[in-house]
Amino acid sequence: MIWRAVLLWMENQTSVIPLKQPIVFELQGFDVQPGNGPFLFLLALLAYIAVLLGNGVVICVIMTDKNLHRPMFVMICHLMVCDLLGATMLLPRLMMDLLMGLKKIAYIPAIVQAFCAHTYGAAMSTVLSAMAYDRYVAVCEPLRYHSIMTSARLHSCCAVAWIVALLLIAVLFSFHMNVPLCGHLVQHVYCSNRGILNLACIPTPVSDIYGLAMTWTLSTGTFFIIAYSYIRILSVSFKQGRTNSSIRSKAFQTCAPHIVVYVLYQTSSLVVILIQRFPSLSPNIKKLFSVLVFIIPPIINPIIYGLVSKDLRVSFIKRFSTRVRNKT
């Protein structure tokens, strides 16, 4: 009994010894049955190809067509970059895990992956807020739109959206400094702020409080900006639409994609939060839903803008048909 108590004490002491650099984490990943890895790898590969093609085509069409060098389309480009960031943060490493069982990740790449994951979430909210402001000015102040949304104002809005997101996440990750880590196993498919700090030897209440406060403030603030913008847009559209129905139709065509994208992203995020409240669900199901927020919106967003935006669709068809004719 004494020896058992001594061994238990020694085990407890060694378990809280801080790790020293170089630290290498191990991602828990999905619990994949033998033989299913290549099939799941193929699904992840197809999803990543869809993300790269969809978002890449939209960005290329907007950049090469001078008629699309307008505030709305420039902001769509920023949203597509955000989509690429989220998918690239997750899918390449996930594919290596599924195909080769590569679960180990060094400390710096782990921090970079976690930073990109959180920046994706924050930037989605801030960029969509900037897009809502642009649509608000376009519909509610049409005569002053070009004097308000100048090139300088446009680039300032986009820069502020990214700077706010990056600063908020940089402060969040500044709490990692001087925090000793005592574990290697990250119990998720990808690295996140909470996933890494769960391995800390000491409690991290300041990081927890800041993370919750930042998430609540960012979500609430961007929600009010977007809600106010579109409520005002709907109000003005219905008032002006009584005399000219084309105004209402045009406002709907320009605003509907943004609303759908925002609702899609928020719904995906809400599902991720709610799914954790069901302990009876298998860990694989929870992990699957948590990664879909980085996959589904980046796949669907370019489709939404391609289908609804007539200018973008016409430009793509024109360029595609021109290349086909040149080859023939």
Side-chain angles (χ1 to χ4, degrees), residues 12-315:
N12 290 336
Q13 292 299 308
T14 57
S15 64
V16 296
I17 294 177
L19 302 175
K20 295 182 179 180
Q21 295 288 358
I23 297 174
V24 178
F25 297 115
E26 183 174 348
L27 294 168
Q28 189 178 54
F30 288 105
D31 183 15
V32 180
Q33 297 297 323
N36 292 339
F39 174 71
L40 296 176
F41 164 81
L42 180 61
L43 292 180
L45 177 62
L46 292 175
Y48 194 44
I49 291 173
V51 171
L52 293 178
L53 281 178
N55 292 277
V57 166
V58 171
I59 292 173
C60 289
V61 169
I62 292 174
M63 290 182 64
T64 55
D65 190 344
K66 292 184 178 180
N67 294 323
L68 299 180
H69 291 181
R70 288 176 274 164
M72 182 180 76
F73 294 103
V74 172
M75 290 185 177
I76 288 175
C77 267
H78 283 271
L79 189 68
M80 299 297 106
V81 171
C82 194
D83 286 339
L84 290 171
L85 173 67
T88 302
M89 174 282 301
L90 172 73
L91 287 172
R93 177 158 286 278
L94 177 61
M95 286 189 288
M96 289 190 290
D97 178 14
L98 294 172
L99 187 64
M100 300 180 291
L102 183 61
K103 296 183 180 294
K104 295 187 182 298
I105 180 171
Y107 180 79
I108 297 300
I111 293 293
V112 171
Q113 186 184 45
F115 187 89
C116 290
H118 291 279
T119 300
Y120 163 77
M124 280 290 289
S125 298
T126 54
V127 171
L128 286 171
S129 297
M131 296 174 76
Y133 170 73
D134 170 67
R135 291 299 86 202
Y136 165 76
V137 177
V139 176
C140 299
E141 300 287 347
L143 300 179
R144 300 174 54 217
Y145 176 69
H146 293 290
S147 62
I148 295 175
M149 192 56 71
T150 60
S151 178
R153 178 69 61 84
L154 165 64
H155 294 302
S156 296
C157 287
C158 295
V160 167
W162 281 102
I163 289 172
V164 168
L166 289 169
L167 281 179
L168 289 174
I169 304 306
V171 173
L172 178 67
F173 277 82
S174 68
F175 296 112
H176 284 257
M177 297 175 63
N178 301 323
V179 173
L181 301 176
C182 293
H184 293 276
L185 182 62
V186 177
Q187 298 183 353
H188 212 312
V189 179
Y190 61 90
C191 293
S192 65
N193 174 66
R194 189 66 262 161
I196 295 174
L197 288 184
N198 282 339
L199 306 177
C201 306
I202 57 176
T204 54
V206 177
S207 175
D208 296 342
I209 293 171
Y210 173 80
L212 290 173
M214 181 206 67
T215 303
W216 185 86
T217 303
L218 183 63
S219 300
T220 306
T222 54
F223 170 77
F224 278 120
I225 292 172
I226 293 170
Y228 174 79
S229 298
Y230 288 118
I231 288 172
R232 290 283 295 133
I233 288 170
L234 290 174
S235 175
V236 171
S237 300
F238 277 110
K239 286 180 181 179
Q240 296 179 353
R242 294 172 184 172
T243 56
N244 188 349
S245 60
S246 64
I247 295 177
R248 187 188 305 174
S249 175
K250 186 177 180 180
F252 175 78
Q253 288 179 356
T254 57
C255 297
H258 308 318
I259 297 175
V260 172
V261 168
Y262 177 73
V263 171
L264 175 65
Y265 171 70
Q266 291 297 333
T267 302
S268 302
S269 302
L270 184 62
V271 168
V272 172
I273 295 171
L274 293 178
I275 206 71
Q276 304 301 324
R277 301 295 183 268
F278 294 92
S280 59
L281 290 175
S282 70
N284 270 356
I285 296 296
K286 293 181 180 180
K287 292 172 187 175
L288 174 63
F289 276 98
S290 69
V291 301
L292 288 181
V293 71
F294 299 101
I295 300 174
I296 299 301
I299 291 176
I300 296 180
N301 288 349
I303 297 174
I304 292 172
Y305 285 108
L307 291 176
V308 178
S309 175
K310 182 180 178 181
D311 293 337
L312 186 59
R313 187 170 63 251
V314 169
S315 179

